[in-house]
Amino acid sequence: MSGKLVRRSLLALLALVVCGLGSGASARAEVPYGTFIYDLSGREIPVQPAYVPETFFHGGLKNPEDLFIDAKDRLFVADTGNNRIVQMDLRGETRRVIQPEGTGKLNEPGGVFVSPDGTIYVADTKNQRIAVFEETGGFLRSIGRPQAPMIPPDFVFEPTKLVVDERGYMYVATRNGYQGLLLLDQDGAFEGFFGANKVDFQMSDALKRVFFTKEQMQKELLKLPGTVSNVTAGSDGLLYTTSMKVTRGQIKKLNYDGKDLLGEQNYGVKRLLAGQQKQFTDVVVDSLGNMTAVDALFGLLFQYNSAGELMFAFGSKDEGYGKLGLFQYPSALAVDSAGTLYVLDRTAHMIQTFKRTEFGALVQKATDLHLQGHYDESEGPWREVLHLNSKYVRAHLGLAKSYYKNGEYAEAMWAFREGGDTGGYSDAFWQLRLLWMQRHFTQMAAIGAVVLLIAYAGWKLKTKRARRKDGERIESAA
């Protein structure tokens, strides 16, 4: 963890009311972490909490790896260490356990997905298969390693996460699967690889091509792209993935062609120490299209709007404090219909819930209106956000773009300046200057004409005097 993150965590912890995790599911604590955003230069700006820890529950979990909340707000957990799937309500009460014997017996399941019709799909990792159960929990079928020429002979089919689209096609993340997601049809037949990462190319790689020997370059060619760590289906029909060991595109928003609609941006913390690598383990999408992703290395949750712009970052690692809201190794996320976030902590064997604050809800509302093009309607919420926190730069930029769209360029200049957007400020300035010139064109033209007439008269007078002097010199010479 970087020194800045450690200092932020310690300062937040000094201010909180001491409250441990051992008192039960209704335990509450003051916020033990900082919430921040980045300005356009990458500088960290503290803001008030957008989410606060609400409760936690264990449910007898052991090294759980995955969460899923279905359309009926039923919570399913891949209880990996106990070789089972646990269904809970949103209060953490266990409603059902899927732990069959025989052919349906699970072995360290790493992922779970529930389709709208209630069918339960399990990434049965150690059994190297996908196990399918009916809504009542009865085992239906098993889908093993697909066979296809495109799949390398040494490929080990260990599914870790999966989603199923409305056609019944499965998108499966596999352990060490650098090829991307496996796309399987309803019967488990291989349809192709999907959403693979690219091999990172840096300046050092260009230098290696110049100075490395042929043998050294052969080793470099063995470098593989980062692996997809998780996959989520949004209500918009798009797929969202997180990836490990990549410097860009840690979060992707993929269409059916596998194109990242976010443009391979760089997500997460802005500065890493030597040897650190971001560890995004999951992403979840709410009803507004906001993406919340978790980086297990830092114990931080990052919430981005549907365009990939950061709205909040919050959280911290639990360094032995045992506080509600801190994480040991957050491995999965889910969100319910009310917008409450659920964070699964694999090492702590528990689930924590986080509720939106008034500030968080206002930012989400204003952002949603703005992204839909309702600029006038977004101004009120943006002003309320600034009333709560005048340093929230996204509010200034939201107002600036609204002013600009409405032709209020002077106000836009001020808002762009407050938001640190020099390019926007320059655009608004030139628009304002152009308007001024258009409004004063008649006066400027009249003034210009007068200036030209005066200049012409002066030139004529000067020419006349010069001719007179030339005539006088000729007469004098004669």
Side-chain angles (χ1 to χ4, degrees), residues 292-340:
T292 305
V294 60
D295 185 328
L297 174 65
F298 298 103
L300 285 171
L301 275 71
F302 296 87
Q303 187 167 97
Y304 300 90
N305 64 28
S306 60
E309 300 166 331
L310 181 66
M311 296 191 294
F312 319 105
F314 63 95
S316 186
K317 290 299 286 286
D318 187 347
E319 306 290 353
Y321 299 105
K323 299 293 182 182
L324 185 67
L326 303 181
F327 310 111
Q328 292 183 27
Y329 191 91
S331 56
L333 301 172
V335 61
D336 66 20
S337 59
T340 299

Side-chain angles (χ1 to χ4, degrees), residues 73-150:
D73 272 345
R74 298 181 298 182
L75 177 64
F76 294 81
V77 186
D79 190 7
T80 309
N82 286 321
N83 302 313
R84 62 183 187 170
I85 301 297
V86 180
Q87 180 189 327
M88 301 179 178
D89 61 26
L90 298 186
R91 297 184 301 276
E93 297 293 331
T94 299
R95 296 302 181 189
R96 180 173 50 154
V97 174
I98 300 175
Q99 195 173 23
E101 293 296 328
T103 56
K105 187 175 182 178
L106 301 172
N107 189 2
E108 296 188 18
V112 59
F113 178 89
V114 183
S115 64
D117 66 3
T119 304
I120 302 167
Y121 297 81
V122 179
D124 194 4
T125 307
K126 284 298 183 180
N127 279 332
Q128 299 185 358
R129 67 173 184 175
I130 297 168
V132 186
F133 298 85
E134 59 188 357
E135 186 172 15
T136 57
F139 179 69
L140 288 175
R141 60 192 176 111
S142 176
I143 300 171
R145 183 189 189 277
Q147 301 298 320
M150 287 181 61

Side-chain angles (χ1 to χ4, degrees), residues 28-88:
R28 294 177 181 269
E30 298 298 324
V31 178
Y33 50 75
T35 301
F36 64 94
I37 57 172
Y38 291 114
D39 65 14
L40 297 186
S41 65
R43 186 167 56 98
E44 191 176 295
I45 306 296
V47 298
Q48 61 263 62
Y51 286 83
V52 294
E54 186 177 32
T55 189
F56 77 97
F57 35 88
H58 291 282
L61 303 176
K62 181 180 178 182
N63 299 323
E65 288 282 0
D66 199 23
L67 277 181
F68 186 83
I69 294 179
D70 70 1
K72 299 177 182 178
D73 272 345
R74 298 181 298 182
L75 177 64
F76 294 81
V77 186
D79 190 7
T80 309
N82 286 321
N83 302 313
R84 62 183 187 170
I85 301 297
V86 180
Q87 180 189 327
M88 301 179 178

Side-chain angles (χ1 to χ4, degrees), residues 10-30:
L10 291 176
L11 288 173
L13 287 165
L14 288 174
L16 74 108
V17 178
V18 177
C19 178
L21 287 177
S23 58
S26 62
R28 294 177 181 269
E30 298 298 324

Side-chain angles (χ1 to χ4, degrees), residues 201-213 216-217 220 223:
F201 183 83
Q202 301 175 0
M203 184 61 68
S204 59
D205 296 310
L207 295 175
K208 288 175 184 177
R209 291 185 177 183
V210 176
F211 297 105
F212 273 27
T213 64
Q216 289 173 321
M217 282 306 303
E220 285 294 308
K223 287 176 62 177

Side-chain angles (χ1 to χ4, degrees), residues 393-435:
V393 293
R394 287 285 170 198
H396 288 296
L397 296 176
L399 283 174
K401 292 174 182 178
S402 177
Y403 291 143
Y404 190 92
K405 292 288 184 181
N406 290 328
E408 301 173 61
Y409 300 116
E411 292 83 354
M413 284 174 58
W414 173 84
F416 276 126
R417 183 181 62 190
E418 292 296 310
D421 188 343
T422 55
Y425 179 90
S426 177
D427 290 341
F429 171 78
W430 284 105
Q431 289 292 339
L432 190 64
R433 182 174 180 178
L434 179 61
L435 282 178

